[in-house]
Amino acid sequence: MASRPDLKAVETYLLALQDQITAALRVLDPGAEQREDHWERPGGGGGRTRVIRAGRVFEQCGINFSHVQGERLPPSASAQRPELAGRRFEALGVSLVAHPLNPYVPSSHLNLRFFQAEQDGAEPVWWFGGGFDLTPYYGFEEDVVHWHRNARAACEPFGADLYPRFKSWCDEYFFIKHRQEPRGVGGIFFDDFDQGGFESAFAFWRHVGDHYLTGYLPIVERRRGMRYGEREREFQKIRRGRYVEFNLVQDRGTLFGLQSGGRTESILVSMPPEVSWRYDHRPAPGTPESELLERFLVVRDWLGEG
């Protein structure tokens, strides 16, 4: 019989991960402002939101922990599992979005979540989800290859099939349908994961969380000192507009938070603080800006395995 979920262990890990990531980002940007808010959800549960902002490295990072309960699973959570609609639920997660100041440093996103849906007289249904992805504004092949090697390392101990499967899932999920373009260069994404029972699935999920910093920090260190001007900054803001569009139109995590009555400020802390939209913006051919679209914002096998 499959092992039963240990929600306390999940919560303990997520809080420790939030602490670890916060500390690592503070080391990179010690002069940045930091704010922490504890909040309660009227329908049950609450969370801890941390914001690092106005630094020399990070313009804004939101690092959220939440643990919420409710009487009815929101549509965004049951869309892939319609048989669970209407069940009581419990959801725990950490979600991070980092928006650096320097346009040569990519934005990054990490999400780890655990859901449990219950109904009287039935065994609880539970699953893990999450992953991490990278959104550069200027493309560097060595950065993207490093990011994907790290993603593969996060998956490999649990099965050689996981990285290619979750890499493809990430490419499909973070595709801006109304723009017909990827949001970034991908990473890994998975949902409804219960493979091998709770202990095995939990171990894999933790391994993914533990690999976020080893993927992102070396890239930040490599690019944070590069010189940039108004041209690069303006292009960064325009590309950030695509990030906002995806989060508000498609992202299930954002929709779940809003539909479940979560704290709006915590949910929308993922938005970049400065962003621009330009009508029918098209970079000039042969520029680094056009190279981003032509060489990097395409679905590719970055590790040359295919």
Side-chain angles (χ1 to χ4, degrees), residues 119-261:
Q119 192 172 45
D120 292 341
E123 283 287 311
V125 177
W126 56 267
W127 66 94
F128 290 98
F132 45 68
D133 62 284
L134 194 72
T135 304
Y137 306 101
Y138 288 88
F140 298 94
E141 188 112 1
E142 94 178 281
D143 294 352
V144 184
V145 169
H146 162 77
W147 181 258
H148 278 275
R149 281 178 178 159
N150 181 71
R152 182 177 62 187
C155 298
E156 271 189 329
F158 299 88
D161 65 310
L162 293 186
Y163 166 72
R165 179 151 59 99
F166 295 161
K167 189 264 187 195
S168 294
W169 200 340
C170 187
D171 290 336
E172 293 168 8
Y173 183 80
F174 293 104
F175 186 81
I176 308 172
K177 295 174 184 175
H178 61 276
R179 294 284 188 181
Q180 286 296 295
E181 65 183 36
R183 187 175 82 172
V185 296
I188 52 174
F189 176 86
F190 59 94
D191 206 359
D192 302 312
F193 188 82
D194 59 3
Q195 187 172 310
F198 176 78
E199 291 299 335
S200 177
F202 185 29
F204 164 69
W205 186 72
R206 295 196 309 268
H207 209 242
V208 170
D210 294 343
H211 274 72
Y212 167 73
L213 289 174
T214 57
Y216 191 49
L217 295 188
I219 297 173
V220 178
E221 292 279 20
R222 194 179 295 141
R223 305 298 167 199
R224 59 184 290 187
M226 293 184 67
R227 295 174 64 87
Y228 64 92
E230 282 302 312
R231 167 180 164 167
E232 292 85 359
R233 180 73 170 148
E234 180 61 15
F235 185 65
Q236 177 196 46
K237 292 179 185 179
I238 292 170
R239 294 306 309 174
R240 282 176 171 181
R242 302 291 207 261
Y243 206 99
V244 172
E245 290 175 21
F246 178 87
N247 275 25
L248 293 181
V249 173
Q250 287 180 227
D251 185 60
R252 290 209 304 266
T254 302
L255 296 175
F256 172 80
L258 296 173
Q259 291 173 357
S260 63

Side-chain angles (χ1 to χ4, degrees), residues 45-59:
R48 183 172 74 179
T49 294
R50 290 178 178 160
V51 180
I52 296 171
R53 62 175 300 277
R56 292 186 175 183
V57 178
F58 296 109
E59 192 168 10

